[in-house]
Amino acid sequence: MRAREPARRQGASRFDRRRGVSACGVLAVALGACAHPAPPPERPAKPAVVRVVAPKPAASPPSEPPSHDDHDKPLRPSGPGASVYASEDSAKDRAAVPHDSLRAGILSDAVAVARRQKRALPKADARLDAAMNDLAHNLRDDDLPALEVVDFLLTHYGIAEPSPHLLLTRATAGADREIREQTVKEIAQVYKTGPIERVGIGIDRTGDLMYVVVGLQEKHVALAPVPRHLARGVSTAIEGKLFGTYRDPRVVVTSPDGKVAEQAASARPAIVSGKVTCAVDGKYQVEVTAEDAMGTSVLANFPIYCGVEPPALAPRGAGTRQTRVTAEAAEAAVLALVNRDRAAAGLDAVTWDAKLADVARAHSRDMSDHDFVGHVSPRTGTALDRIHKAGLRPELILENVGRAYSAEEVESGFMASPGHRANVVDPKARRLGVGVVLGKPVTGTTPLYVTQLLTN
């Protein structure tokens, strides 16, 4: 079994001294983005990837598993796309999930562990089952699920919240008991990182090996239904309610031209209130962020397709392989990727700043050592505190923090988040420091903790 931590994006953090105020902007692989003196967002780090191969005799496969050639093609979901994003699955969603005794057993184990730990009991979500089924049918060998594909599947089936914790198991066909024994241990570890609201379980039994993917998802906002597709000129409200310790939600939107707009916060600290108007055809990326003691976090991130149909295929194949990389090489890669994305937005490149990089590395080390992804540290405070302690006094401070498995995954995650994207393509930014720290390997995968600091 391999447990993959969700890519983390803590909300983006921004501080502009010339404005004299802090403004929460906006998500890391899981990442985050927000504009204010105390940086925004990712949640604490999650479990990694655990692999178990159970010594059972192979059963006769009813059909052949996907070929390697098919595996490299963009993933096609097995079920139709949802018409709306909703907080709960529907009876129609539940009817589409085939019965499997292993799925029922893992769900029962997940509920039993939560009860023993005196936690809120998680619920099965058929939409998450469908997404995990698609991963189980398409991941092979030692693949990690590609972030873009996980995000695509969640939104395809109508889930607006960010990536779940993923537990990946490959075992000899028929090893149901061994899979449950290993999975329940990993579930118990995931529960220690945060409240799990949804469970989705995908199972592929089509070969002499079986693949199981379990998704454990947090949920901190209940959104009213939002259409996935709208005609040009039509508007939709983004409304909902926070629960738990979060407060002060904001809606941030990237329009088809790449521009990011943060909408005014609701007057009520637990109420989400925003709006998307389809002014032109294309994809509008919508993000809901909120604050807690760790800074800004991304609680929902989803596309609305205006005047165009939602895509029928994922942007790539389901699996990816982690390659060995040094922290120095990853930092250089992030710099190059940031300047690539700024050039695409018609902006000047930022230059490397060694002092900012030192501050960024120290924060990434703090996140790695203490297993969290966030802008606010109990030890060093906010990005503003850290930069001032280093003797720097820029007027503008932008911070993105995240955890992922490659420089490319980190940057693509930031650019997929309206708040983080706003930091990367801020026209006032002139200098960049990147700090990458390699986290502790978990079952063969090494997370990268990444901090981007942009200033003028």
Side-chain angles (χ1 to χ4, degrees), residues 4 14 29 35 45 51 53 78 96 109 125 157 166 195 199 244 320 367 371 377 384-385 398 410 413 431 453-454:
R4 171 159 190 174
R14 304 164 61 95
V29 156
R51 182 175 57 230
V53 179
S78 58
D109 293 340
D125 191 299
Y157 289 115
L166 297 176
V199 179
T320 185
M367 292 193 296
D371 199 28
S377 165
L384 182 65
D385 297 328
L398 310 174
V410 165
R431 309 185 73 80
L453 283 171
L454 298 103

Side-chain angles (χ1 to χ4, degrees), residues 239-413:
E239 298 177 336
K241 184 176 181 180
L242 305 182
F243 44 90
T245 60
Y246 287 99
R247 64 193 184 282
D248 301 331
R250 287 179 182 265
V251 175
V252 189
V253 181
T254 301
S255 54
D257 62 4
K259 294 181 179 178
V260 180
E262 179 178 287
Q263 301 182 10
S266 167
R268 293 177 290 176
I271 300 300
V272 178
S273 179
K275 181 172 146 179
V276 173
T277 299
C278 293
V280 297
D281 290 350
K283 182 178 79 170
Y284 287 74
Q285 191 70 28
V286 183
E287 194 167 65
V288 177
T289 69
E291 304 286 325
D292 72 353
M294 298 283 292
T296 303
S297 289
V298 176
L299 305 187
N301 188 13
F302 54 94
I304 294 176
Y305 296 92
C306 293
V308 296
E309 291 298 319
L313 297 176
R316 52 165 295 160
T320 185
R321 300 288 175 89
Q322 186 174 34
T323 58
R324 292 182 180 274
V325 65
T326 65
E328 294 77 10
E331 289 174 357
V334 171
L335 171 64
L337 292 166
V338 166
N339 281 329
R340 175 204 66 185
D341 292 333
R342 288 179 64 85
L347 299 173
D348 293 336
V350 289
T351 58
W352 182 262
D353 188 299
K355 290 184 178 180
L356 286 177
D358 286 342
V359 177
R361 287 188 198 107
H363 186 56
S364 292
R365 173 61 62 191
D366 186 16
M367 292 193 296
S368 174
D369 288 348
H370 297 94
D371 199 28
F372 78 103
V373 181
H375 297 283
V376 181
S377 165
R379 290 156 293 279
T380 65
T382 69
L384 182 65
D385 297 328
R386 292 186 285 271
I387 284 185
H388 281 184
K389 186 175 180 180
L392 304 175
R393 292 291 187 274
E395 293 179 328
L396 176 71
I397 299 170
L398 310 174
E399 181 180 71
N400 286 337
V401 297
R403 179 189 60 224
Y405 294 87
S406 70
E408 293 75 13
E409 190 175 57
V410 165
E411 183 66 10
S412 67

Side-chain angles (χ1 to χ4, degrees), residues 115-135:
R115 187 174 283 117
R116 286 197 300 271
Q117 294 187 2
K118 295 181 169 42
R119 300 179 183 275
L121 304 184
K123 300 176 183 177
D125 191 299
R127 301 166 302 167
L128 195 54
D129 285 334
M132 298 303 102
N133 261 340
D134 285 343
L135 290 178

Side-chain angles (χ1 to χ4, degrees), residues 69-92:
D69 288 341
D70 288 340
H71 180 56
D72 289 340
K73 295 178 181 178
L75 180 148
R76 180 180 294 277
S78 58
S83 59
V84 299
Y85 299 104
S87 285
E88 307 291 340
D89 59 1
S90 66
K92 182 179 179 181

Side-chain angles (χ1 to χ4, degrees), residues 94 125 136 147 161 177 200 221 250 302 332 340 346 357 390 427:
R94 293 188 287 275
D125 191 299
L147 171 64
E161 290 78 11
R177 180 173 61 84
V221 60
R250 287 179 182 265
F302 54 94
R340 175 204 66 185

